[in-house]
Amino acid sequence: MNMSWIENRFEENVIITSVDLALNWCRKSSIWPMTFGLACCAIEMMSTAMSRFDLDRFGAGVFRATPRQADLMIVSGTVTKKMAPVLVTLYEQMPSPKWVLAMGNCAISGGPFVFEGQYNVIEGVDLLVPVDVYVPGCPPRPEALLEGFLKLEEKITGKRRFPGPESRW
Amino acid sequence: MEQIGNMIGWETVKMVVGLVGVLVFVVLNALILTWAERKVAGHMQRRIGPKEVGPYGLIQPIADALKLLGKEILTPREVDKPLYYLAPMIIFVPVLVSFVVIPFDASLQVMDINVGILVILAFSSLSVFSILMAGWGSNNKYALIGAIRSIAQNIAYEIPLLLALLPIIMMTNSFSLKSIVEAQHGLWFVVYQPFAFLIYFIAGVAETNRTPFDLPEAESELVAGYHTEYSGMRFALFFLAEYTNIFIVSAIAVTFFLGGYQGPFLPGIIWFLLKSYLLVFVIMWLRWTYPRVRFDQLLNISWKALIPLSFINLLITGGLLKL
Amino acid sequence: MVERIKAELGATLKETPVGEADYRERGYHLFAEVASADLLNVARFFDERGFYLAALICVDYKEYLELVYIFSNHASLCKVKITLKIDPAKPVAPTISTVFDCAYWHEREIREFFGVSFDGHPNMTYLFLHEGIDFYPLRKEKIPVSDEDKKALGAFRPGEGEDTFFVNLGPQHPSTHGVLRVVLKMDGEYIEDAQPVLGYLHRMHEKMAENRSYLQFLPNTGRMDYLGPMAFNLGYVTAVERLCGIPVPDRANYVRVILTELNRLSSHLMWLGAYLADLGALTPFLFVFDDREEINDILEPVTGSRLTYCYFRFGGLYNDVDDAFVAGTRAFIERLRSRFSLYEKLVGGNVIFTNRTRGIGVITKERARKQAVSGPVLRGAGIPMDIRKSEPCAAYGEMDFDVPVGTRGDALDMYQVRIREMENALNIIEQALARLPEGPIMTEKAPRKLKPPKGDLYHTVETPRGELGIYIVSDESDKPYRMKWRVPSFSNLMIFPELAKGNLLADAVAILGSLDLVIPEIDR
């Protein structure tokens, strides 16, 4: 349930429900990520949750270990063929509404481990689960992950929390 | 209005108003405590906690609660349905009953039962049932291990809890919470019974499954313990019950040892809340400082250290009272 | 020592000659090629003399397969390379896992990557690869898996027992272990058996090495161990320099030492935080990340990255350090020294922590040798071996530091050893900063296209986790013919099943944390 699908479907004199707006605001203010660190990007994800780049400021500091209580799966690291069924099982155990953030080059498209004759790396986690936000980098800086987070919030509500760089010009 | 009052009886009206007040307080308390936990954790860890969601992050718990309300209601296929559905509902019963007898102020007590503390202790033992139902009904190995650990821990620590409160009951000759608070008019009981206070505090922290005694929810070992398979609002109920339990443990400590609602200048309820929240802060402080105690060490602390000490304390108190 | 072993080995082997190799070029002192029948005798020979099996490598020369056994010694420096040629059409070899326990897993790995079956090996399920792979990955040609192998190698399936049940620890962890899955057979709260299942992060580094030139492989080394990438970088770069004979200027050597020690600090700090998070205390985790961010602040302007560094080049460095770096490092050392007292009060003096770690996971010297553990785990068990002292590379030979050794071999000793190693690292950095010479950072003699001479090399380096061994076989082209990484975490993990037996689940987590594992380097 991202942006209201009834928006822009009728004429202008139909107002979308404010319950929807309120619920979306609540969902974006309290995204609980699941601890799914696979490889090097996991360390940068942990750095983002730590004191310097505090992710808890945005309400996302509660990392739940069980998928049943998490909203966001941050796939940080390379997905191999052995890990793929585990990832899909965890994704299906999460209750809706749920989101997936592909962090790092490996999760986006296999990263630096794609070469002629490769036999074990899945080239991108979006071959397994639907991905909402892609954060590139090897590993992406914590600021990049925070920006990906804000992008996810923008995707949920339609409005951006802080002004982005482009709106200054 | 007069007629309704005469028909139903003023006592009933007072009780209903009291219960509604208690419910409102429970919800508010849970909201405040979740916010406080994250802020306290943040500041102890050299960062600020929630900040963007409302001023100082004050609306964060409301966002959390509404988000949990809006989650999909998911029932895993293989769970034992009656147990799975009942567990989060039953965990709230002891909490609400305990609030009925706690004296917030000299006149702010829903009902002054003359066996007040017995009611609280009896009902808090019932929370063990709901944990067992959650663990078994989830049909999940981790939940079951977590539930079994929690039951052993709860049963082991209820005994020192009770034994630490007995000296106070012996000194005041009454089970009613209000008379215990009134008996501390001159000097708080913590001066007479410092060991009992410490034992009660430690046993209380263990009863609420908080670190350093939080093996039932040990994240690094058991995913999430007995509420692994709960999502959305059901999980929120477990969460709420845990935070309310923390407040109840602190409230009883304040009532028995720290003078309840008594204090100069400010109205009684302000003193009561101040003292209770101070103890709640200490409990949170413990959580973010200490690692977890291993399970057999935990049971050893209870059976080999706390119970003998509380017995000795009881004997000494009994002896001194006789003289 | 080397002469004595040569004489005794020659006497044992009788027909085959024991050759002497130039240690500076090859990394080992003696080599011998044995036949299949003699292998077990040779293994027993080395076991009696207190050697340990440093590495077990298989190389696919297309006409034959060669198994390379490298035996090394804790007490004095003596490395022996024993080779065994196998027919590629019917690859069979005897197992030495009855003598050296660590060979058990090495042989499993060779079985699934090369197809060499070992006579008498008890268990052959897949260790790294997923079920459904139908060729042997590291062979030079694509050889399909034979049917009997398909039956023997299957995925790991735990059987059910009467009073026991199986619990999975992972592969999704709420802590920082990464994707390690340990299948525990539990009887109530006690563990009867622990079987790690690896391969969830197998990123084919060794196969990539054969497809990439030496310089193109350099970024991979940083991603193998993401907590101590400088040490892996250092090992690889010094190995290739040794193979090609490239000299390195002094300034580069000193800077390499400073950066590797800073990385060692960062890795041990992270271990401290993660270990305490496993035990339940979440606050030191955040304090530790604070210190790590300070280290990143120093290293980022110099190296350009925060986590997976790729800073050393063949022949030196690619960027010079400036005065800001020196000043920043000195300020950081002062700050960290004062933080140690904070950690001591919060962690070391905490009675709950000492109760959780004292007497847990005791490693005896004999088991440490048989399982070829290395690094702080080995030193905690009581054996004072540090590769920075016995085989120094870069400027370690000129540094003055001691080797901390534990007495009991339990998890608390590992903690103490790592704390003292951190203090040593601070001392080394101070010494190196004081003696930092001026001069070039890159030698002029580095060839543009790197084509090492034909031969092989076994090079070791001390990473924060233990002994990293790099075995390079070069055939004069610009790509390595075979590169094998003997990683310390793989060897350290081998001792975990026997330590976990009979313990509580909480203790198993404490033991696993004290071994300081990083999974990408195990899975390579």
Side-chain angles (χ1 to χ4, degrees), chain B residues 44-47 141-142 145 149 211-212 219-223 288-297, chain C residues 165-168 174 189 278-283 286-287 290 339 350 352 355-356 360 504 506-507 509:
Chain B
M44 282 189 182
Q45 294 163 354
R46 281 187 52 157
R47 59 185 176 98
K141 274 179 255 195
Y142 303 109
I145 298 179
R149 281 180 176 176
T211 324
E219 271 209 354
S220 51
E221 305 162 28
L222 289 182
V223 190
W288 296 108
T289 313
Y290 284 115
R292 219 171 274 134
V293 180
R294 202 179 62 200
F295 197 53
D296 58 333
Q297 293 167 350
Chain C
F165 61 97
F166 283 93
V167 164
N168 266 333
E189 282 265 350
D278 273 349
L279 294 180
L282 295 164
T283 312
L286 281 101
F287 290 163
D290 231 0
R339 297 277 278 191
N350 192 330
I352 299 181
N355 277 342
R356 281 296 290 271
I360 305 294
L504 290 167
D507 283 339
V509 172

Side-chain angles (χ1 to χ4, degrees), chain B residues 107-303:
Chain B
S107 54
L108 281 180
Q109 190 181 15
V110 179
M111 216 162 130
D112 186 21
I113 308 179
N114 59 350
V115 285
I117 187 60
L118 278 187
V119 166
I120 296 183
L121 287 174
F123 271 90
S124 67
S125 330
L126 282 183
S127 64
V128 170
F129 273 125
S130 95
I131 295 177
L132 182 57
M133 289 204 295
W136 180 263
S138 295
N139 198 18
N140 181 339
K141 274 179 255 195
Y142 303 109
L144 189 61
I145 298 179
I148 293 175
R149 281 180 176 176
S150 180
I151 293 168
Q153 182 177 321
N154 268 352
I155 294 179
Y157 278 90
E158 267 174 21
I159 304 179
L161 197 80
L162 179 63
L163 290 177
L165 294 175
L166 269 182
I168 308 288
I169 298 174
M170 281 176 12
M171 279 164 65
T172 54
N173 267 331
S174 141
F175 283 109
S176 149
L177 285 155
K178 184 137 172 223
S179 29
I180 292 177
V181 175
E182 293 297 330
Q184 296 183 53
H185 219 68
L187 201 57
W188 292 352
F189 281 147
V190 71
V191 179
Y192 291 118
Q193 299 274 347
F195 289 114
F197 176 56
L198 277 173
I199 295 175
Y200 172 78
F201 194 63
I202 297 175
V205 170
E207 282 287 307
T208 54
N209 288 344
R210 294 280 291 185
T211 324
F213 304 112
D214 71 340
L215 258 128
E217 303 173 4
E219 271 209 354
S220 51
E221 305 162 28
L222 289 182
V223 190
Y226 57 86
H227 50 72
T228 310
E229 294 280 354
Y230 283 95
S231 57
M233 204 56 212
R234 302 199 184 117
F235 167 67
L237 284 175
F238 276 109
F239 214 51
L240 242 65
E242 176 175 333
Y243 280 106
T244 322
N245 261 331
I246 296 175
F247 182 80
I248 291 180
V249 161
S250 315
I252 297 182
V254 163
T255 313
F256 269 73
F257 295 99
L258 293 179
Y261 49 78
Q262 293 179 341
F265 312 120
L266 299 168
I269 184 165
I270 305 261
W271 274 117
F272 180 77
L273 289 178
L274 226 77
K275 293 182 211 171
S276 301
Y277 280 116
L278 185 66
L279 280 186
V280 166
F281 172 70
V282 172
I283 295 181
M284 286 184 183
W285 192 1
L286 282 179
R287 175 177 183 183
W288 296 108
T289 313
Y290 284 115
R292 219 171 274 134
V293 180
R294 202 179 62 200
F295 197 53
D296 58 333
Q297 293 167 350
L298 185 123
L299 296 178
N300 279 346
I301 292 177
S302 168
W303 293 102

